[in-house]
Amino acid sequence: MDKLTAEDIFYTMALGRRFEYAAKEHYMTGEISGFLHLDIGQEALSVAAMKAFDHGDVFTTYREHIMAIARGIEPKAVMAELFGKKTGVSEGRGGSMHLFDPSHFFYGGDAIVGGHLPNAVGCAYARKFQKSEHGVLAVFGDGATNGGAFFESLNIASAWKLPILFLCENNRYAIGTEITRVAPFLEQAKKAEPYMPTKEVDGNDAPAVYEAVKEAQDYIQKGHGPIFIEAFTYRWEGHSMSDPGTYRSQEEMEIWKRKDPIERMKKLLKERYIMSDAQIEALEKKADAAVEEAVQFAAQSPEPEVDELFDYVFAEEVRHG
């Protein structure tokens, strides 16, 4: 990883964390409604994976704000979507769980656990059929690996050698259920081993995630078929804003907070790339300004018009008699 890439990843991670804390603050004041799933603690995985998979299609889950920003979608458009405003990335129709921007080949989040995996496989089939050089990245949590759609997706992708990277963000908890209570082992990559090559990586180590996803992207683009990466990480917040997270001990939380991916990246910038404290602080101030701008933009943006309520809604006419 060169210095510019490392600097860009650190900045986007810092921006993402500030964005999430701002979203939390404005959810508490009622300016953001509906569901809100925060990605705090998992920034290395979310940012490095998007930066590494620099072209191709992305399908992901509802914990996708930082991924959308890392993919290149403006923070202003993401925050406006959370506020339900017309200037949002989905014109205020999707909210936190449905950020969608075809211009950035970003087709997530999906509100159904594992529900996006068959869609990603279908897209990968289309890419292969079109003889496109682009592959597909499908991101999902450890809880999704217990669903039927997960195994069906792996099976079809493997049988047809589709260009798709399955990236499992294993944060140990499916809402409030610890993964080993519903699976016989912690490592969910074991479920993919009969179907395709697998790899495990420290999800809090941004350079490690970046290199693993880069290699996987190259693998699928050469026509070798699907590949599976499992990245171990940890979310600091509850599953959503309605989850107090009381199923986790304080000791466990402290262990993972000592593995803070942003502090690790900051240390790397200093030691490997010889960046000064002042240079790093400048990046953090730039992130502060970007989030403040995003919040102001969202707050001042217009609401969608009532007469637009049924735009993009499709229904078949029912005829009687």
Side-chain angles (χ1 to χ4, degrees):
M1 180 188 293
D2 59 39
K3 182 178 179 181
L4 282 178
T5 301
E7 187 176 314
D8 181 39
I9 287 177
F10 172 77
Y11 166 71
T12 311
M13 289 169 64
L15 170 64
R17 180 167 295 183
R18 286 160 170 76
F19 183 97
E20 293 292 69
Y21 275 124
K24 181 179 181 180
E25 176 187 345
H26 290 278
Y27 187 92
M28 298 300 288
T29 62
E31 293 162 285
I32 296 173
S33 58
F35 293 98
L36 186 71
H37 304 81
L38 301 174
D39 201 28
I40 298 166
Q42 302 186 170
E43 296 90 349
L45 169 57
S46 297
V47 173
M50 291 300 124
K51 297 291 185 183
F53 204 83
D54 52 0
H55 53 280
D57 307 285
V58 173
F59 290 77
T60 184
T61 71
Y62 39 77
R63 201 180 305 282
E64 86 284 36
H65 310 155
I66 297 177
M67 291 185 196
I69 293 169
R71 188 65 174 175
I73 301 173
E74 284 289 329
K76 293 191 299 185
V78 177
M79 188 63 81
E81 187 60 40
L82 270 55
F83 274 63
K85 297 297 185 69
K86 188 175 174 60
T87 54
V89 63
S90 302
E91 299 184 16
R93 299 167 187 279
S96 167
M97 301 175 81
H98 300 287
L99 304 179
F100 189 91
D101 187 347
S103 70
H104 286 87
F105 303 96
F106 190 86
Y107 309 110
D110 192 302
I112 307 301
V113 173
H116 60 305
L117 297 179
N119 297 337
V121 168
C123 185
Y125 176 81
R127 288 301 191 187
K128 183 172 183 176
F129 185 77
Q130 296 165 344
K131 302 186 186 306
S132 168
E133 65 175 8
H134 291 172
V136 175
L137 169 60
V139 186
F140 50 95
D142 47 271
T145 67
N146 295 318
F150 168 78
F151 290 100
E152 291 173 1
S153 297
L154 262 58
N155 182 63
I156 290 296
S158 178
W160 293 346
K161 293 191 177 303
L162 299 181
I164 180 168
L165 164 57
F166 293 96
L167 176 57
C168 176
E169 53 174 29
N170 188 340
N171 63 21
R172 305 181 64 96
Y173 290 93
I175 307 181
T177 302
E178 208 273 337
I179 186 63
T180 55
R181 296 184 65 188
V182 289
F185 34 72
L186 173 62
E187 303 85 0
Q188 302 311 294
K190 292 179 180 177
K191 296 174 180 174
E193 286 176 353
Y195 299 94
M196 62 192 70
T198 66
K199 182 171 185 174
E200 296 177 4
V201 66
D202 180 349
N204 280 16
D205 184 340
V209 173
Y210 183 85
E211 296 301 331
V213 171
K214 268 291 180 199
E215 290 175 8
Q217 185 184 45
D218 182 61
Y219 178 88
I220 64 175
Q221 287 180 345
K222 287 181 177 175
H224 297 308
I227 191 168
F228 189 105
I229 294 176
E230 181 171 18
F232 297 94
T233 185
Y234 198 80
R235 58 172 162 77
W236 293 8
E237 300 289 316
H239 172 73
S240 69
M241 289 297 292
S242 61
D243 172 17
T246 52
Y247 43 84
R248 301 183 294 187
S249 70
Q250 198 60 40
E251 290 77 14
E252 181 180 303
M253 293 283 289
E254 289 303 320
I255 288 172
W256 279 95
K257 287 190 175 182
R258 286 198 290 272
K259 301 177 182 178
D260 185 345
I262 292 181
E263 290 302 316
R264 287 177 67 171
M265 197 63 194
K266 187 183 295 185
K267 187 169 185 284
L268 184 76
L269 289 179
K270 291 181 182 178
E271 295 180 352
R272 182 183 300 177
Y273 301 104
I274 321 298
M275 289 186 67
S276 67
D277 288 336
Q279 288 173 312
I280 292 171
E281 187 178 339
L283 292 175
E284 293 174 321
K285 286 183 177 177
K286 181 182 172 185
D288 286 332
V291 171
E292 177 61 27
E293 181 186 24
V295 170
Q296 292 297 325
F297 176 80
Q300 296 168 7
S301 290
E303 302 277 354
E305 299 292 337
V306 174
D307 60 7
E308 297 173 346
L309 185 61
F310 294 104
D311 288 355
Y312 311 115
V313 175
F314 301 94
E316 291 185 5
E317 182 181 358
V318 178
R319 297 183 178 180
H320 301 281

